[in-house]
Amino acid sequence: MAAGAHAVTEPTARAAALSGPQKALRKLGLLRPIDLALHLPLRYEDQTRITPLAQAQPGQTLQLEGTVRSAEVRSGGRRQLQVLLDDGSGCCTLLFFHFSGAQHKALAPGTRIRARGELRHGLFGPTLLHPQWQRAEGELPRSLTPVYPASAGLPQAYLRRAIASALERADLSETVPPQAWADCPGLAGGGLRAALLGLHQPPPEVALASLEDRSHPAWQRLKAEELLAQQLAQWQARQLRAARCAPEMAPLAGGLHAQLLARLPFALTAAQRRVGAEIDADLQRRTPMHRLLQGDVGSGKTVVAALAAARAIDAGWQCALMAPTEILAEQHFGKLIDWLQPLLQVQGRHIAWLTGSQNKGQRTQALAGIHDGRAALVVGTHAVIGEQVQFARLGLALIDEQHRFGVAQRLALRSAREGVEPHLLMMSATPIPRTLAMSHYADLDISSLDELPPGRSPILTKLLSASRRDELLSRLRAQLAQGRQAYWVCPLIEDSEALDLRNAQSTALELAAALEGCAGPTGAPVQVGLLHARLPLAEKKEVMARFCAGQIGVLVSTTVVEVGVDVPNATLMVIEHAERFGLSQLHQLRGRVGRGQAASVCVLLYEPGENGRLGEAARARLRAMLETADGFEIARRDLEIRGPGEFLGARQSGAPMLRFADLEHDAHLLDWARAWAPRLLAEQPQAAQRHIERWLGAKSDFLKA
Ligand code: ADP
Ligand code: MG
């Protein structure tokens, strides 16, 4: 921008001076000429030719040019504007149901216009319904007219002009060397400029289908560039991380790690040992670990995390453990604390808790221990990354259920020590499908617990119409009589007018009534407990404790049991309105049972919509639940149903998302981009940097944080 002309303009005044369409462009992230040049059409209109009416077929999408003979508003029945257009070979009626007075006037008899639409045979003969039209002026365009993704307040005509002008101004020089392109499958020759012009202004004879399904070589070229930018950005993030310094954590003979292993009441699975070794190897390096530990619900991630924590503590560093909710933190780490606390006490060190619900005294005490280093392990919620939390020597950060935290929050876990960055281990029960792992998560190393601990019984999953609740209740009574416990999950706590969901409170009352007189093997009457998000924390904890102790037979809850409750005696999971839950959520909930020796059942209650049917996506989710219990397969189907944007959730704010490439269809291009990204970064770092900036602009910054 020319500095002189705007030097005195306040930034706010400048923003206010933006026109409506300019603001809309800004909102879409279309700031630089290159952003506009990379804003590609959704589809095209053919305005390059005129079809004489006499040669047109009904059903054909065409453009007519002719003279308006009459334009009248009819109001018998639905009010409409009827325009009679004469093109010399015949007459066609143009019908408008929505029109302004100005439009009516503009279509005065004698005006020559061009009108585009699908030709139908209507009441008045050949008809165009709500055609696009303009005055017949100037030559016909020579290329197809692009239709761009737009937003309210951003007319296509404005966007077209802005993009056409940007194409002339933008720097479209090549950033990728010819030998890389020679290696890329399915690409025609020609550079970026040719590909972009071919997409924005395609010649009329182009194979339109190949543009619309994005198989055209020009599309392939743009998708390859986009995937390459994503890979380059993530490789670069990796390199930057590798240049930073993390503590080397050498194993300590007879240390906490060894003692913890000896105390465990079970032997580690082969998967746990393998993953543990992967983490150990990272911890002994000077570069910060950036690893995702993924494993199905119940695969035993917590022990692996505890062992990693023990390594860090053995090496004299502090470890922070963060979970998304307080109940989750307690449930997940209660055992871990039981294991580690006595061992730490011997060394005069302790475990500190940090949560939002602490009183000031507890908090001050915890903060002091964290600051002076006596707190070897810090467990808590988001409070762990609070401003006042200052670690003496943070060496390892563990984040459970990582998808619930944003990128910024994960990055906030930093050591107070200048120049030392803690190792980072994130845990997730939602496995990342392979294609996503290779694309959006290329900056992460991934360890997979692909084996469940022995002794788990497979869970039988059943789909049951809500109208058959009675059958379900007798099954429930039978389980309870044997001393088993059950979860009953409802989606919402209070009736919502919009969603008429069964609410947990009334469900709890109903169940209590239905189970009247039902007793466990000891003869004690069965208790129904209620857990929901609005319950005060102390009460939540109490309900959880009573359920864990077996005093509550049926735990009615909103989705909060999704958090890692571990009650092996619970053998029945009922999910109401299962059609409304996401697939991963259903799978997580199901994983709450089947944790002991006894056979477990998960019942998915569904209520069809008003038309007596379930929506397509809901059916796909329930079908997946019936067909597989494998978390990796579930994740793959979830991705298929939801698409990467939604699947990635919070990460969306950080990772470079793909606008054009489609991981399923463009896997060959992804392979190419993965192979070339490290080579280009090594051999042509400046061109690689230009490529990243061109495609990701300011968005690539987060990765360097
Ligand atoms: P998740 O991966 O869902 O976080 P947890 O770490 O909570 O799973 O483990 C689930 C249960 O399995 C816990 O009760 C845990 O103590 C137990 N467990 C973990 N590893 C083993 C093992 N190798 N053998 C037997 N039980 C195990
Ligand atoms: Mg867990």
Side-chain angles (χ1 to χ4, degrees):
M1 177 179 299
H6 292 284
V8 291
T9 321
E10 292 293 319
T12 47
R14 221 184 302 145
L18 286 179
S19 69
Q22 280 171 328
K23 278 190 207 148
L25 282 183
R26 194 161 281 240
K27 254 197 173 150
L28 288 178
L30 304 178
L31 305 173
R32 310 167 298 169
I34 188 67
D35 298 329
L36 283 156
L38 296 177
H39 192 67
L40 298 179
L42 286 173
R43 57 188 176 82
Y44 303 88
E45 282 174 4
D46 189 352
Q47 304 181 12
T48 64
R49 58 193 134 205
I50 303 289
T51 308
L53 198 53
Q55 292 169 21
Q57 304 292 329
Q60 189 182 347
T61 299
L62 47 61
Q63 178 168 237
L64 302 173
E65 181 173 319
T67 308
V68 174
R69 292 289 172 228
S70 66
E72 285 163 31
V73 176
R74 298 276 155 94
S75 41
R78 194 164 169 201
R79 203 173 109 90
Q80 51 188 266
L81 173 62
Q82 288 179 8
V83 176
L84 195 65
L85 186 72
D86 177 356
D87 83 343
S89 78
C91 280
C92 178
T93 302
L94 315 183
L95 268 188
F96 300 88
F97 294 109
H98 310 281
F99 57 93
S100 62
Q103 255 170 333
H104 185 188
K105 240 190 216 155
L107 286 162
T111 316
R112 272 194 83 71
I113 64 165
R114 290 175 192 148
R116 288 177 305 282
E118 190 189 321
L119 189 69
R120 304 191 188 184
H121 253 284
L123 217 51
F124 316 99
T127 303
L128 294 184
L129 197 61
H130 265 287
Q132 305 269 339
W133 68 273
Q134 81 241 46
R135 293 174 79 90
E137 286 165 341
E139 285 176 38
L140 290 170
R142 271 188 229 115
S143 53
L144 298 182
T145 305
V147 179
Y148 292 108
S151 59
L154 187 58
Q156 283 291 330
Y158 183 94
L159 195 50
R160 280 178 197 139
R161 275 196 308 275
I163 290 174
S165 134
L167 278 169
E168 283 167 18
R169 286 175 294 132
D171 168 18
L172 300 178
S173 59
E174 296 295 312
T175 46
V176 181
Q179 69 267 31
W181 288 127
D183 193 28
C184 187
L187 292 190
L192 176 64
R193 177 180 298 278
L196 281 174
L197 289 177
L199 292 177
H200 286 290
Q201 298 157 5
E205 63 278 5
V206 75
L208 204 55
S210 72
L211 286 185
E212 285 176 352
D213 71 10
R214 302 188 172 184
S215 61
H216 189 280
W219 263 117
Q220 296 288 308
R221 163 72 191 239
L222 269 292
K223 295 199 260 193
E225 290 229 356
E226 177 183 45
L227 286 164
L228 183 64
Q230 190 195 41
Q231 292 296 317
L232 285 171
Q234 300 199 54
W235 268 98
Q236 194 177 48
R238 218 176 239 277
Q239 286 183 335
L240 288 169
R241 199 176 306 115
R244 291 197 292 252
C245 215
E248 282 172 87
M249 300 176 173
L252 178 69
L256 210 54
H257 186 273
Q259 294 173 41
L260 177 55
L261 262 186
R263 280 183 70 135
L264 285 181
F266 46 73
L268 295 182
T269 62
Q272 284 170 322
R273 285 200 305 274
R274 188 192 66 235
V275 162
E278 287 165 5
I279 295 169
D280 273 353
D282 280 0
L283 293 179
Q284 290 175 50
R285 283 196 200 103
R286 286 179 61 100
T287 52
M289 170 166 73
H290 193 63
R291 187 172 283 280
L292 178 70
L293 169 57
Q294 62 178 18
D296 217 337
V297 265
S299 59
K301 295 183 288 294
T302 318
V303 184
V304 176
L307 287 166
R311 278 272 189 254
I313 298 168
D314 277 342
W317 293 85
Q318 285 172 299
C319 174
L321 220 162
M322 187 158 78
T325 68
E326 191 159 342
I327 294 267
L328 181 58
E330 282 199 2
Q331 287 291 324
H332 272 194
F333 307 123
K335 270 194 197 132
L336 187 156
I337 291 168
D338 290 346
W339 290 328
L340 289 177
Q341 184 98 294
L343 304 177
L344 278 172
Q345 250 156 19
V346 182
Q347 305 179 3
R349 304 177 74 188
H350 65 269
I351 299 176
W353 263 98
L354 262 189
T355 68
S357 71
Q358 279 172 317
N359 66 34
K360 205 158 176 217
Q362 292 169 323
R363 189 177 168 75
T364 312
Q365 200 186 356
L367 288 177
I370 295 168
H371 189 57
D372 68 21
R374 276 176 302 127
L377 180 63
V378 181
V379 179
T381 56
H382 292 81
V384 171
I385 49 174
E387 290 247 335
Q388 307 116 319
V389 187
Q390 291 219 323
F391 289 89
R393 296 166 59 77
L394 181 61
L396 172 65
L398 301 164
I399 303 184
D400 202 7
E401 304 293 330
Q402 60 90 24
H403 57 281
R404 300 206 196 178
F405 292 98
V407 179
Q409 289 167 322
R410 301 197 310 238
L411 294 175
L413 268 175
R414 284 280 147 82
S415 179
R417 295 222 141 191
E418 279 303 309
V420 176
E421 173 155 324
H423 295 287
L424 182 60
L425 180 66
M426 294 167 267
M427 289 177 270
S428 171
T430 308
I432 298 168
R434 201 176 139 267
T435 47
L436 278 190
M438 292 192 322
S439 57
H440 295 74
Y441 287 82
D443 61 329
L444 270 184
D445 294 311
I446 297 183
S447 291
S448 297
L449 283 178
D450 47 11
E451 178 188 1
L452 292 180
R456 301 276 164 85
S457 53
I459 305 164
L460 183 65
T461 304
K462 292 200 155 188
L463 195 56
L464 199 69
S465 160
S467 59
R468 291 167 63 190
R469 283 167 82 90
D470 286 347
E471 286 168 47
L472 178 58
L473 286 174
S474 47
R475 179 192 285 273
L476 176 62
R477 277 192 213 99
Q479 289 286 308
L480 293 167
Q482 288 175 38
R484 301 287 175 204
Q485 290 166 277
Y487 297 97
W488 194 292
V489 178
C490 319
L492 265 191
I493 170 60
E494 264 163 16
D495 273 333
S496 136
E497 282 168 12
L499 293 173
D500 193 27
L501 296 169
R502 277 188 169 274
N503 85 47
Q505 273 163 339
S506 65
T507 302
L509 289 174
E510 274 168 38
L511 278 177
L515 296 173
E516 185 87 43
C518 180
T522 59
V526 168
Q527 302 285 317
V528 176
L530 175 62
L531 194 65
H532 62 80
R534 302 207 193 136
L535 219 55
L537 190 66
E539 278 179 54
K540 270 189 208 164
K541 288 182 182 173
E542 196 201 315
V543 173
M544 282 313 308
R546 287 176 53 218
F547 187 63
C548 291
Q551 292 158 3
I552 287 176
V554 188
L555 182 64
V556 177
S557 84
T558 54
T559 54
V560 283
V561 285
E562 182 193 351
V563 304
V565 193
D566 191 27
V567 180
N569 190 44
T571 51
L572 178 62
M573 165 65 69
V574 179
I575 305 175
E576 280 205 66
H577 276 296
E579 75 279 3
R580 299 200 167 154
F581 287 83
L583 183 50
S584 304
Q585 220 177 4
L586 288 173
H587 179 66
Q588 300 262 333
L589 286 170
R590 175 168 60 184
R592 298 295 132 221
V593 293
R595 296 186 159 232
Q597 302 285 336
S600 292
V601 180
C602 172
V603 178
L604 305 172
L605 280 179
Y606 69 95
E607 272 177 50
E610 277 178 11
N611 58 2
R613 307 188 46 179
L614 287 175
E616 199 176 318
R619 256 183 300 147
R621 293 192 294 266
L622 297 178
R623 196 179 317 122
M625 284 293 288
L626 291 183
E627 287 173 1
T628 180
D630 173 359
F632 285 85
E633 177 60 15
I634 291 273
R636 201 188 59 73
R637 300 231 197 156
D638 199 18
L639 175 64
E640 214 172 76
I641 297 168
R642 290 198 286 165
E646 271 192 65
F647 186 92
L648 290 165
R651 193 170 166 91
Q652 205 163 0
S653 57
M657 293 298 288
L658 297 170
R659 283 179 282 164
F660 306 132
D662 163 342
L663 295 176
E664 204 178 320
H665 293 109
D666 304 320
H668 57 297
L669 299 177
L670 177 60
D671 288 339
W672 170 83
R674 278 169 60 80
W676 276 89
R679 274 188 71 175
L680 294 180
L681 273 176
E683 292 165 17
Q684 312 210 7
Q686 279 168 351
Q689 187 58 42
R690 258 194 328 125
H691 189 82
I692 295 173
E693 263 155 34
R694 167 178 290 175
W695 275 90
L696 301 171
K699 285 177 226 147
S700 63
D701 279 353
F702 86 97
L703 279 167
K704 299 176 195 149

